[in-house]
Amino acid sequence: MKKIVLTLVLVFCASLGFSQTEDELKAQIAPKKDSIAAIKGRVDALQAQIDKLPGWKKGAFGTIGMNLSSFNNWYAQGTPNNSSGNIGVILNGYANLNQDKYFWRNSGNVNLSWVKFDDKDDPNDDDSFRKSADVFTINSLYGRKITEKFAISALGEYRTTLLDNFNDPGYLDLGVGATWTPITDLVVVVHPLNYNFVFSKGDNVYESSMGAKIVADYTKKIGAVNFKTNLSMFQSYKSGDLSNYTWINSLGYTLWNGIGLGFEFGLRNNKQEALNYALTGPTPDPTATFDSIDNKLQTYLLFGLNYAF
């Protein structure tokens, strides 16, 4: 009986000693977390000072999304023998020069994707990858500073496709106005004098015009996270049917050696493209006009592996 009581006492003392040790260790964690937060605050403050220094700032990151599948004799679905796939590639890059009296900001975006669905039981089925997304955009902004946050600026922006129908259509914006940079990574461009050149074989649909160009761009890298959002809008003075906008949001998170996860979501509205599709698409409507078409919002989404340069 004495041995049993002694054993219970030893077990109780051991557990008590362990709990005391655990509590002591947890108590030591709190001040270390405070120290880490303080160090991070100092590092962020130094990085903010570096970002404001004159000189070039360059960067790039991209996302690759892929989904491949193959089925044989899978009778639970309507097409038991098939192979399918989806491949998407997105690249974002920038090169920005900041000097005491002027700045020069350059950026580009490429979004390409392919899809396929091969019904192995149909000998006439197309078993190749087909283009599903094709976007290419580059822009260059030069500004002469009036104050630290305001500048007189000139912008050139070009948008088209790469894989198919290059420059058909192609959009070139050239304009002058003002640029506001309220914080280091945010740029807001308002150019009331802007000409939107449209290049296309469909001359009866696409039309160039004078208008206002508005661009808002925010590009930021915080530790392992790369983030970029860009809104590009053209408001035609001639007709609202000739106006358009594109809004692209990109996010990359680095996990290991530059490799991580990436996400991009894009919105686009262009009535000229909608009318051209109605006139020349898979089910063409020769009577379609700007007033009769349903100008639906264009969107795309890609999620996959990301690589930061």
Side-chain angles (χ1 to χ4, degrees):
M1 187 64 179
K2 290 181 179 180
K3 291 181 178 181
I4 295 175
V5 173
L6 181 60
T7 301
L8 292 174
V9 171
L10 291 174
V11 170
F12 175 76
C13 292
S15 62
L16 181 62
F18 175 77
S19 62
Q20 289 175 337
T21 303
E22 183 179 7
D23 291 339
E24 291 172 357
L25 292 174
K26 287 182 178 180
Q28 296 178 31
I29 291 177
K32 294 188 183 324
K33 285 184 176 180
D34 293 338
S35 299
I36 293 173
I39 293 171
K40 186 178 183 303
R42 292 195 294 270
V43 171
D44 291 343
L46 290 172
Q47 185 61 52
Q49 294 180 35
I50 293 173
D51 292 339
K52 292 181 180 180
L53 292 175
W56 283 99
K57 301 291 188 301
K58 303 174 184 178
F61 64 98
T63 300
I64 299 177
M66 181 180 298
N67 180 15
L68 302 175
S69 63
S70 179
F71 292 89
N72 293 293
N73 304 319
W74 198 264
Y75 299 114
Q77 60 186 14
T79 309
N81 299 291
N82 73 79
S83 63
S84 63
N86 187 319
I87 301 173
V89 179
I90 291 176
L91 296 174
N92 290 283
Y94 64 90
N96 300 328
L97 175 63
N98 185 36
Q99 297 291 352
D100 293 335
K101 295 183 178 181
Y102 69 92
F103 61 80
W104 184 26
R105 303 177 64 91
N106 307 275
S107 66
N109 172 268
V110 177
N111 174 15
L112 307 174
S113 67
W114 301 262
V115 297
K116 87 164 186 174
F117 184 86
D118 176 26
D119 184 353
K120 299 177 183 178
D121 297 325
D122 183 359
N124 299 318
D125 192 22
D126 185 1
D127 62 354
S128 63
F129 277 91
R130 294 176 294 171
K131 176 183 66 68
S132 62
D134 189 358
V135 179
F136 174 70
T137 304
I138 56 173
N139 63 67
S140 183
L141 174 69
Y142 176 84
R144 198 74 182 178
K145 296 180 181 178
I146 299 175
T147 67
E148 185 64 26
K149 298 184 182 298
F150 287 94
I152 299 299
S153 56
L155 171 71
E157 181 182 86
Y158 179 67
R159 307 185 307 279
T160 186
T161 57
L162 288 178
L163 302 178
D164 190 21
N165 298 325
F166 177 76
N167 203 40
D168 183 22
Y171 303 90
L172 175 62
D173 281 292
L174 296 175
V176 294
T179 295
W180 178 44
T181 53
I183 57 177
T184 303
D185 304 295
L186 175 62
V187 179
V188 180
V189 179
V190 180
H191 285 178
L193 295 177
N194 183 91
Y195 199 83
N196 178 240
F197 296 90
V198 184
F199 311 100
S200 173
K201 296 177 182 179
D203 296 331
N204 59 328
V205 175
Y206 293 98
E207 184 178 352
S208 304
S209 65
M210 178 70 74
K213 185 71 174 181
I214 300 172
V215 176
D217 183 276
Y218 182 77
T219 304
K220 184 70 174 179
K221 180 174 181 178
I222 306 174
V225 177
N226 285 286
F227 176 73
K228 180 179 178 66
T229 180
N230 180 276
L231 172 65
S232 178
M233 178 185 301
F234 172 72
Q235 181 62 49
S236 174
Y237 294 147
K238 184 175 183 179
S239 170
D241 295 333
L242 306 181
S243 303
N244 62 77
Y245 70 83
T246 302
W247 186 23
I248 299 175
N249 302 275
S250 306
L251 178 68
Y253 182 72
T254 303
L255 297 173
W256 175 76
N257 281 354
I259 301 174
L261 298 176
F263 170 84
E264 180 160 305
F265 179 62
L267 301 172
R268 183 179 178 85
N269 186 287
N270 190 312
K271 204 167 186 178
Q272 295 184 85
E273 292 177 349
L275 177 58
N276 183 67
Y277 183 79
L279 292 171
T280 63
T283 56
D285 179 7
T287 64
T289 65
F290 279 121
D291 295 329
S292 65
I293 61 171
D294 183 11
N295 183 28
K296 296 180 180 179
L297 182 66
Q298 305 173 42
T299 66
Y300 73 82
L301 173 67
L302 180 67
F303 178 79
L305 292 178
N306 172 271
Y307 186 79
F309 301 90

